[in-house]
Amino acid sequence: MRQVKLASTGSYLPGDPIDNEEIERLAGPLPPEVLEGIQVKTRHWAVDPYTGENRETNSEMAHKAVREARELAEVEPDEIELLVVSTASPEYHLPATATFVQEKLGLRACASIDIRSGCAGAVEALDLARLYLERGDYGTAVVVGSEAISPLSVPVFLGQDPNRIRMRDRLGIYNFGDGAGA
């Protein structure tokens, strides 16, 4: 088996950070002990929290993270043979998010795979790429985990009285943000 190494990393976060005070104004408060337990102080969203306008898509964030990782590794686009994208929040059920990222990167001849998984998905994607590389099926792979949860969160509170948002619905709003890592 071939030895596989990580050449670089890249990341991308959309928009300005949104702190808990702003979330409280939008969606209502959480009890202090719950907020302390969550440990999330800020998050980034691809959706404007005041208008609901989608400013960036999941594949755009993934593309930006991959571009940074590729540039830092000094890998040309045509050297990438395998692209693995992990997301639990795809833009569409079909086609796969990886095909949108592949197109944005200008990768004409590249195998692309989506892993539809949440928290551990990026690790699963890394493991899958490692297996293909070790076997010698591909020479260079790019792996990206990308999530766009705000398109699901913002409609919960947009245009609503923050005091009328159910506590269980507030938890996800406080917990999750958007971003990509490659």
Side-chain angles (χ1 to χ4, degrees):
M1 281 203 197
R2 290 180 18 187
Q3 183 177 7
V4 176
K5 69 176 185 168
L6 188 66
S8 70
T9 62
S11 62
Y12 180 76
L13 295 171
D16 294 325
I18 301 169
D19 63 21
N20 289 338
E21 291 76 23
E22 188 170 357
I23 295 294
E24 184 174 337
R25 286 190 297 277
L26 293 165
L30 286 180
E33 64 275 8
V34 173
L35 199 55
E36 179 63 29
I38 290 174
Q39 292 290 308
V40 176
K41 307 290 186 218
T42 62
R43 76 280 301 137
H44 293 257
W45 283 351
V47 171
D48 183 299
Y50 294 97
T51 66
E53 177 188 352
N54 199 3
R55 298 178 292 204
E56 292 187 85
T57 65
N58 194 334
S59 63
E60 288 169 339
M61 293 187 301
H63 164 251
K64 291 173 182 176
V66 169
R67 186 179 60 208
E68 179 180 63
R70 185 187 58 73
E71 289 171 358
L72 289 171
E74 298 179 353
V75 171
E76 294 300 320
D78 61 352
E79 294 177 68
I80 299 170
E81 299 173 4
L82 173 64
L83 171 66
V84 184
V85 175
S86 171
T87 186
S89 55
E91 293 159 44
Y92 306 99
H93 293 297
L94 288 173
T97 301
T99 60
F100 292 110
V101 177
Q102 180 181 358
E103 180 182 44
K104 286 173 180 28
L105 291 167
L107 307 177
R108 291 213 169 290
C110 172
S112 61
I113 301 170
D114 257 19
I115 294 182
R116 296 284 170 88
S117 187
C119 300
V123 176
E124 294 168 0
L126 281 167
D127 196 40
L128 179 68
R130 179 189 55 83
L131 292 170
Y132 275 118
L133 293 169
E134 281 180 346
R135 279 194 333 213
D137 294 337
Y138 301 104
T140 303
V142 174
V143 175
V144 59
S146 185
E147 296 297 348
I149 304 299
S150 64
L152 305 172
S153 298
V154 171
V156 171
F157 65 80
L158 193 63
Q160 304 293 322
D161 176 356
N163 297 315
R164 302 213 26 131
I165 308 293
R166 296 181 301 186
M167 187 61 60
R168 68 179 181 195
D169 293 333
R170 291 177 188 168
L171 289 172
I173 295 166
Y174 276 86
N175 265 307
F176 297 110
D178 304 334

